[in-house]
Amino acid sequence: MKPADVADLGLADAGRLKIEWADRQMPVLAGIRERFAAERPLEGWRISACLPVTAETANLMRTLAAGGADAVLCSSNPLSTQDDVAASLVTHFDIPTYAIKGEDRDSYYRHIGAALDHRPQVTMEDGADLVNELHTSRTELLDEVVGGTEETTTGVIRLRAMANAGKLSYPIVAVNEALTKHLFDNRYGTGQSAIDGILRATNILFAGKTVVVGGYGWVGRGIASRAHGMGANVVVVEVDPVRGLEAAMDGYRVMNAADSARVGDVFISGTGNLNVWGAPHFPEMLDGAILANAGHFNDEFELPALEEQAASSREVRPFTREYLMHDGRRIYVLADGRLVNLGAAEGHPAMVMDMSFADQALGLEWLRPRAGELEPKVYGIPEEIDREVARLKLASMGVQMDDMTPEQKAYSESWESGT
Amino acid sequence: MKPADVADLGLADAGRLKIEWADRQMPVLAGIRERFAAERPLEGWRISACLPVTAETANLMRTLAAGGADAVLCSSNPLSTQDDVAASLVTHFDIPTYAIKGEDRDSYYRHIGAALDHRPQVTMEDGADLVNELHTSRTELLDEVVGGTEETTTGVIRLRAMANAGKLSYPIVAVNEALTKHLFDNRYGTGQSAIDGILRATNILFAGKTVVVGGYGWVGRGIASRAHGMGANVVVVEVDPVRGLEAAMDGYRVMNAADSARVGDVFISGTGNLNVWGAPHFPEMLDGAILANAGHFNDEFELPALEEQAASSREVRPFTREYLMHDGRRIYVLADGRLVNLGAAEGHPAMVMDMSFADQALGLEWLRPRAGELEPKVYGIPEEIDREVARLKLASMGVQMDDMTPEQKAYSESWESGT
Amino acid sequence: MKPADVADLGLADAGRLKIEWADRQMPVLAGIRERFAAERPLEGWRISACLPVTAETANLMRTLAAGGADAVLCSSNPLSTQDDVAASLVTHFDIPTYAIKGEDRDSYYRHIGAALDHRPQVTMEDGADLVNELHTSRTELLDEVVGGTEETTTGVIRLRAMANAGKLSYPIVAVNEALTKHLFDNRYGTGQSAIDGILRATNILFAGKTVVVGGYGWVGRGIASRAHGMGANVVVVEVDPVRGLEAAMDGYRVMNAADSARVGDVFISGTGNLNVWGAPHFPEMLDGAILANAGHFNDEFELPALEEQAASSREVRPFTREYLMHDGRRIYVLADGRLVNLGAAEGHPAMVMDMSFADQALGLEWLRPRAGELEPKVYGIPEEIDREVARLKLASMGVQMDDMTPEQKAYSESWESGT
Amino acid sequence: MKPADVADLGLADAGRLKIEWADRQMPVLAGIRERFAAERPLEGWRISACLPVTAETANLMRTLAAGGADAVLCSSNPLSTQDDVAASLVTHFDIPTYAIKGEDRDSYYRHIGAALDHRPQVTMEDGADLVNELHTSRTELLDEVVGGTEETTTGVIRLRAMANAGKLSYPIVAVNEALTKHLFDNRYGTGQSAIDGILRATNILFAGKTVVVGGYGWVGRGIASRAHGMGANVVVVEVDPVRGLEAAMDGYRVMNAADSARVGDVFISGTGNLNVWGAPHFPEMLDGAILANAGHFNDEFELPALEEQAASSREVRPFTREYLMHDGRRIYVLADGRLVNLGAAEGHPAMVMDMSFADQALGLEWLRPRAGELEPKVYGIPEEIDREVARLKLASMGVQMDDMTPEQKAYSESWESGT
């Protein structure tokens, strides 16, 4: 067994069950793994991956290994590490893994260090902490690194800033920008899993409830569509008038935050901004209002103001905190205002991660022959990868589609339709 | 404290939290309780209730007590007893309760016996076991009994059979026949909670899945609507052509069981019949097919045939059993084929039980002044109770509706509209 | 050619085109016609039909003739007569027809008289005017009449009143009570055609509009569903709390008439009652509000009050009348407050009439061998006819359904499901 | 009266009625007109507009005049000219207009010439014929022209080609690229009006039909959503896998053209490409299949092949042509394969044109102070105009929205959300 640092190798069998279950929901990645095993496109590449250590990630690591890569894994977020999966990765799949759920900052950075000790030629990340460490504390390793990938918006922003400042040493593929990632995980993944989280936390009936959705970007659209699909009457709060108009044309009521505060039974926020509802709104809310966050950070609701306004609070169900207001109303906050789909449910279904991680694997394959030639900046995912992932996904669903005929291709290139 | 038999009185505080949370989702019953406390319409009535001992039932018992009744409770189903709720009923609400989760048959009937020792004037039931016991083993008590209520179809069938055979000694109100019960709990309650159970058991993504719904009665309609609302493509299997035609007109594909077996990703059955999919269908199903039952009994899928056809089986997630077929396909059965919303989720939301139990409470109130005069048979719920429960529910949702104007009332009585 | 009275036989070819087009949308009736032609179940029966003389009715008359009947037709409503269809019935199909669009009362009753001169053994009606005439002015013919059918609620009410008063001389089958009639034509037929009528009258965009639906019976449900499907935000006004609660659970807002008056862009009423919106509401309505009636009679909106309150009115598009109020607001009334789907569009699609008229044809076939034995009262449509019509409709749509297995049939009879 | 050339000035009153009705559906443009009347931002500008001469365009012309412009109008498409509107523009609104419905090529270009005789400083177009004429035959006028706008994709393509070739003499604003144009008119406008056109042409019932939609761009999404909303079962045919995957995730079946040909009752194409269904597919289609085009050109269906394969054809209803195939099947083509929403219904509702034409008016206002400084190329619509049009539209619908708080604005600029 290669060196590793995980919580308890005894959990490996339970972890393998999780990895296998996820694998069955990830047919695109499984297909790529099969092809990689035959073609070995990553042969001998040393990869240091810093990702959430989950069953889905395990299947990505298996795919890299099948492609010939020499890959190690550390955690990009200690809270999301699944210790049984980490144990199985080490025990059954021979992937050196450095991750312990709930580890402290020291352990976290020691594990990133261990991953870097692998002397990566490629980095694969979720948030850019490892890239940052590499460019600051471990610069001696930079010479050998020829490329990387990044999964998140946050990471891409950091990397673009580094590139603009001339500080990025090698090219990075922004997997986040794939249509097959952000069109799908936000809309369908978060859309479903936010509802799921609320159901698990509260067991309320959605039918007949007024659900107020904060934001009508991809996340908000997905949530609005699913809340509506469960029988709720949906209200949308937006600040962008074009999006607000789309929400209205989609048949929803559109309101400002203050008006919405007075009518909502459930508030779900996915704006990416802060204080969508806050100090001025809590006094207006109905008795029994439920607040659930589906945005990345836990400041979409101004919770410190709620704490301050409330007479007391207590946990009434797992992930459901009741704030008793001085006038006797009760307001419920789910999962402490953190992402409700991760806090109270299981996050994105594996089927959604299937596409994101297929983008990762194919991004690496695309990168390999180009690694020496690309500039040290952030690259969007190539359109052909996006199309390939979508094509594989459809095939896994049993869907048959046509390609354009040559005649149609010629037509489409000579004219772009007016409608 | 009155005599009682529960698992552990130390669980009482946890139980109270559950009862209170349910109470907040049950505003109709809470309103009735408040009125009952003022009017005391059940003053002094001895009631023996035999119901699932859950947080929702606890709020019904509190309502009877508030109305002046002298009520005791035993369990109608040992598997659904919530021990903490039972403890709280005894400790905080002073309701003698005889129920232990998982108790055996002897204990079950001993507890029914204890409830009968209360010498009921009224019975309140879910399934008619207590009524049966009363009419067979405890006939000496029958003289004092003046009426009862029954919650379930199964119970009503048994009671009607008794009445037809001249064996029923007193009148019983069939709460199950209230529109505010069966129109709502089947369609909206089971519709949502079946989806919820599948999500908790599997964490699959519904979007893009082909979901086959067995039956297009109220349960099937609810499930089809919610599965569609989560982004699934819904197929309906029916044997009644009028219902099948409704499903087709509602935009769903309608198929026979054999054809559906070849296209479904998820099968959800709510027909009330048996072997909707069975021995001939399992060999045709897609690899990865998921089977979930939303009907009362666990024979909607012919599971013995599946056991026989499978090479092996194992539990891959809680409530998810994988059957490995000889040809390598895998079929997943949720919650052992039992009701998936109870097995893998929490059953009906309290908000749905609010109406059923309001029907119970108002049914008793209606019964009291009539108890001496009614024949010993099964009575439907009076229409005015249905309307009153719906009215209270709408009021609790903040909905304002009109009554007919006198002019409209006159018009509606002189003419019935052609549309 | 048999005697007849139609507007212009020169229109026959245009009429045939309409009849053929309708026939292609009426595969159930066409199938019955084919079978009738082989089996001749109505051989020699003299039938006097009094129905709207439309292309759909023409196909019913063809079916009776194919079954061997000796049938004549007069109009049950002069406004809905299609003169070209009447001409074609006489010219191409050899059906004596007495109907002229726009004929006056005298002509109308003369035509009923001509139909009665046929000495019917069976009557087939839409509204019971012919039956009434028969029982009052032409009683000498009653001896030969052995049965009849009635299409409408209004007619059924009149006939039930006659039966209760001991005045009905022969048995009548109430086609209106078939599930395959009223479940479908109200919900799917009126639902679509009301929207269609509003589009043709106004060409407004439904997306983003607030559409208020009066009534949540089958008509209201259909309209709400279709308005929602076109992107509107739907509000329901009801007086029945159970229906109101269903509307709320279906995700719509539910209001009283006064509140709805202030928020609606479009009001569509299908309650079967009068003055759903009237004198108190018009002053509250938004500038530009549109009023469309989908109920049988033109008093769902209190139009005399609107006339009185308005400063002036004018027709601004065909079927769209603008009322200018003294405060400058404008309110638009479509099709003079008459049924908008008939006034501004083409009424029910033929596909819906296919089922109603199949019920008619099969109702007659059922009646023939029983005619001598039945009491002179109103009979519901037999359940097996309903099932047969639905079955034929599904077959015409290419849908394959199962029958219950013997095992399932036994199970369903021994137990009725609890869910 | 200024010089003009229209069909019949006697139609002016009917035209005014149309213009006023459209105006009531165009509150954004009406608001801009009111402001323009006060601020006169186009004072004295000579504008030559070449647009479809419809009621909606008339309201745009009124707005330019209110803003102080000296504008004339000729037709960009003789078939869409409304002669009564043209007459009213001349008679009541004092706008010189050169347009006659059905005019020939000579008349068409003579009218463009007359519009150019106005010596425009600005051009406003739909298709770029006038710009082309100006740059080829009337180059002596180019010196005075400082800018223009273009409404269509086709025009923008021509203008970009001119700009790239160094042949464009002045800057042009591409109104087509406004979100408030293409997000809305394709999705909501064409979505509704394509359904409307099919209803008017055929009066079929959508509920229960299988509707196949060609293309899942904005047009296809709109149509799919509305067909689904009318109760159809929707199948999508796409060649782009990402769009195909979106369609599948939205709950629709996705197929290739050949498979779809065998299941569709109605085919609606909006791909912008040709021969989506053609020679190989017609022999596979169901008897009674209906073909409707919602794309710009009439080659989405390969109609010449259908003509060739058919035994005969005839018009069975206005806009509905029946092709009788040699095997007895019938296939119906609506509106001769031209845009069904224009051919059989009334095209986009005025409410949709409200936004496009508001973009036009605000585009001119934006252009005026910049006209001297801009390069001679094609400019996208400025984002602030898009936001302003959406904001005004929402205001006209009575929707209240918030702006970001300063705190939110700061937050959004420092971080972009990860979800």
Side-chain angles (χ1 to χ4, degrees), chain C residues 19 36-37 54 59 61-62 73 91 99 135 193 198 213 216 237 248 250 253 264 316 338 363 378 388 391 395 407:
Chain C
I19 293 170
F36 272 22
T54 63
N59 285 305
M61 297 309 292
R62 293 170 63 193
L73 174 66
T91 304
H135 282 74
S193 59
I198 295 170
V213 178
Y216 204 64
V237 170
D250 288 343
R253 281 185 287 164
V316 292
R338 297 181 189 282
V378 177
E388 175 67 2
R391 205 188 57 70
E407 180 193 43

Side-chain angles (χ1 to χ4, degrees), chain B residues 234-311:
Chain B
V234 173
V235 171
V236 170
V237 170
E238 245 298 342
V239 293
D240 178 305
V242 175
R243 287 181 172 185
L245 189 54
E246 283 185 275
M249 293 284 174
D250 287 344
Y252 302 121
R253 280 186 288 166
V254 177
M255 292 186 188
N256 59 29
D259 288 342
S260 78
R262 284 184 284 271
V263 301
D265 296 307
V266 182
F267 296 80
I268 314 176
S269 193
T271 67
N273 210 307
L274 86 172
N275 298 352
V276 181
W277 291 278
H281 306 125
F282 301 132
E284 302 288 322
M285 286 182 173
L286 295 174
D287 183 22
I290 293 171
L291 314 184
N293 174 33
H296 198 70
F297 297 108
N298 65 335
D299 48 12
E300 303 239 346
F301 297 96
E302 193 185 4
L303 295 181
L306 182 59
E307 291 276 0
E308 207 174 286
Q309 292 180 14

Side-chain angles (χ1 to χ4, degrees), chain B residues 19-332:
Chain B
I19 294 169
E20 288 174 3
W21 174 256
D23 187 42
R24 296 192 59 78
Q25 316 300 320
M26 303 177 83
V28 173
L29 192 63
I32 292 170
R33 187 161 64 241
E34 202 170 328
R35 178 170 68 76
F36 272 21
E39 302 180 0
R40 307 284 290 181
L42 310 178
E43 190 68 56
W45 245 11
R46 288 190 311 277
I47 301 175
S48 294
C50 180
L51 296 167
V53 179
T54 64
E56 290 81 15
T57 298
N59 286 305
L60 173 58
M61 298 308 293
R62 293 169 63 194
T63 304
L64 305 186
D70 174 13
V72 302
L73 175 66
C74 65
S75 169
S76 64
N77 178 349
L79 290 178
S80 56
T81 296
Q82 296 170 342
D83 285 329
D84 49 4
V85 166
S88 176
L89 271 171
V90 174
T91 306
H92 303 114
F93 300 104
D94 209 23
I95 309 279
T97 301
Y98 309 91
I100 296 174
K101 185 176 171 73
E103 63 189 317
D104 64 14
R105 188 181 156 81
D106 278 0
S107 168
Y108 177 69
Y109 276 98
R110 194 166 56 242
H111 284 156
I112 288 181
L116 287 173
D117 290 344
H118 188 54
R119 290 193 300 115
Q121 295 163 288
V122 184
T123 62
M124 175 175 268
E125 277 228 67
D126 184 294
D129 280 349
L130 180 141
V131 170
N132 191 56
E133 194 72 2
L134 184 58
H135 282 74
T136 54
S137 313
R138 303 293 296 273
T139 50
E140 79 280 6
L141 299 170
L142 280 171
D143 264 7
E144 289 192 85
V145 187
V146 296
T149 65
E150 169 59 45
E151 176 83 10
T152 67
T153 312
T154 305
V156 167
I157 289 170
R158 293 175 76 177
L159 295 167
R160 285 237 160 83
M162 288 174 71
N164 290 340
K167 300 288 176 57
L168 187 67
S169 299
Y170 55 88
I172 300 223
V173 176
V175 169
N176 180 63
E177 294 177 6
L179 296 175
T180 45
K181 178 180 185 294
H182 72 263
L183 276 189
F184 293 87
D185 69 359
N186 286 334
R187 193 165 22 161
Y188 307 110
T190 309
Q192 172 179 297
S193 59
I195 301 298
D196 185 15
I198 295 170
L199 283 176
R200 298 196 201 194
T202 66
N203 204 38
I204 59 165
L205 185 73
F206 268 83
K209 289 279 190 305
T210 298
V211 171
V212 186
V213 177
Y216 204 65
W218 292 119
V219 166
R221 276 158 220 247
I223 293 171
S225 171
R226 295 302 170 242
H228 168 75
M230 295 304 264
N233 186 278
V234 173
V235 171
V236 170
V237 170
E238 245 298 342
V239 293
D240 178 305
V242 175
R243 287 181 172 185
L245 189 54
E246 283 185 275
M249 293 284 174
D250 287 344
Y252 302 121
R253 280 186 288 166
V254 177
M255 292 186 188
N256 59 29
D259 288 342
S260 78
R262 284 184 284 271
V263 301
D265 296 307
V266 182
F267 296 80
I268 314 176
S269 193
T271 67
N273 210 307
L274 86 172
N275 298 352
V276 181
W277 291 278
H281 306 125
F282 301 132
E284 302 288 322
M285 286 182 173
L286 295 174
D287 183 22
I290 293 171
L291 314 184
N293 174 33
H296 198 70
F297 297 108
N298 65 335
D299 48 12
E300 303 239 346
F301 297 96
E302 193 185 4
L303 295 181
L306 182 59
E307 291 276 0
E308 207 174 286
Q309 292 180 14
S312 65
S313 83
R314 60 175 184 161
E315 190 177 55
V316 292
R317 277 173 63 104
F319 310 115
T320 304
R321 178 159 290 277
E322 177 184 84
Y323 288 84
L324 178 63
M325 311 305 283
H326 289 288
D327 60 5
R329 287 175 309 118
R330 291 173 171 102
I331 292 176
Y332 297 91

Side-chain angles (χ1 to χ4, degrees), chain D residues 4 35 65 253 419:
Chain D
R35 179 169 67 75
R253 280 186 287 165
T419 41

Side-chain angles (χ1 to χ4, degrees), chain D residues 319-356:
Chain D
F319 310 116
T320 304
R321 178 160 290 277
E322 177 184 85
Y323 288 84
L324 178 63
M325 311 305 283
H326 289 288
D327 59 4
R329 287 175 308 117
R330 291 175 172 101
I331 293 176
Y332 297 90
V333 174
L334 307 190
D336 298 326
R338 296 180 190 283
L339 270 167
V340 72
N341 60 343
L342 277 167
E346 303 177 47
H348 290 319
M351 187 189 159
V352 165
M353 300 312 298
D354 188 24
M355 291 193 280
S356 307

Side-chain angles (χ1 to χ4, degrees), chain D residues 88-162:
Chain D
S88 176
L89 271 170
V90 174
T91 306
H92 304 115
F93 299 105
D94 209 23
I95 309 278
T97 300
Y98 309 91
I100 296 173
K101 185 176 172 73
E103 63 189 317
D104 65 14
R105 188 182 155 82
D106 277 359
S107 168
Y108 178 68
Y109 276 99
R110 196 167 54 242
H111 285 157
I112 288 181
L116 287 174
D117 290 344
H118 189 55
R119 291 192 299 117
Q121 295 163 289
V122 184
T123 62
M124 175 175 267
E125 278 228 67
D126 183 294
D129 280 347
L130 180 141
V131 170
N132 191 56
E133 194 71 1
L134 184 58
H135 282 73
T136 53
S137 312
R138 303 293 295 273
T139 50
E140 78 281 5
L141 299 170
L142 280 171
D143 263 8
E144 290 191 83
V145 187
V146 297
T149 64
E150 169 57 47
E151 176 83 9
T152 67
T153 312
T154 304
V156 167
I157 289 169
R158 293 175 75 178
L159 295 168
R160 285 237 160 83
M162 288 174 70

Side-chain angles (χ1 to χ4, degrees), chain D residues 20 22 34 36 55 119 209 258 288 305-306 316 320 331 354 368 375 388 394:
Chain D
E20 289 175 3
E34 201 169 331
F36 272 20
R119 291 192 299 117
K209 290 278 188 305
L306 182 59
V316 292
T320 304
I331 293 176
D354 188 24
R368 182 138 212 208
E375 314 248 316
E388 176 67 2
L394 285 164

